[in-house]
Amino acid sequence: MKITKSLFAFALAASAFAMNANAGVFDVSPKIYGAPATASAAQRVIEITPETKSVQVTNGETIQFNINGTPFTWKFDLYHQEGVLDLATILPAELQATGVKVYVGESPEYREMYRN
């Protein structure tokens, strides 16, 4: 009986450890949307204010977001060509843009580049 309880406790602990170790596997990482870029690479600037609810960009585009006066530049590079994300997903922790959706549209140039 004591061995059975020990094996059960071990199995339970091992299971909890495995689930915890894999918890990050399904986390949304900003990397799947592209990468930070230099301000000089920006193709355009989008002002984000407390009233901003959504913005539209094109896959492959480099955007400088001015968030309440603070610049942040991002190169969009989505594998699936288009999508929707919360701007907060790609922002550094010190910048806030709660509730702002980024609609990423398909790029004809990217479509051709990935086809070849």
Side-chain angles (χ1 to χ4, degrees):
M1 178 84 162
K2 190 174 184 177
I3 293 174
T4 305
K5 285 183 181 178
S6 295
L7 286 174
F8 178 74
F10 175 77
L12 187 61
S15 176
F17 176 77
M19 288 187 336
N20 194 25
N22 290 326
V25 172
F26 297 107
D27 288 347
V28 175
S29 171
K31 294 184 291 190
I32 67 169
Y33 300 115
T38 62
S40 62
Q43 295 162 293
R44 64 186 173 113
V45 175
I46 297 177
E47 297 291 331
I48 303 296
T49 67
E51 293 77 31
T52 305
K53 300 297 179 209
S54 66
V55 296
Q56 293 184 337
V57 302
T58 302
N59 199 22
E61 193 173 24
T62 302
I63 303 292
Q64 178 179 314
F65 295 99
N66 284 338
I67 301 159
N68 298 320
T70 303
F72 173 74
T73 307
W74 187 265
K75 165 116 173 129
F76 287 90
D77 189 7
L78 279 69
Y79 176 74
H80 292 290
Q81 290 296 317
E82 57 189 356
V84 180
L85 65 132
D86 289 320
L87 180 57
T89 303
I90 61 172
L91 292 178
E94 65 272 7
L95 293 177
Q96 299 294 315
T98 306
V100 178
K101 296 284 186 192
V102 179
Y103 293 89
V104 183
E106 185 178 38
S107 166
E109 291 92 24
Y110 255 41
R111 185 175 53 232
E112 291 302 317
M113 184 170 62
Y114 283 116
R115 219 181 259 173
N116 297 327

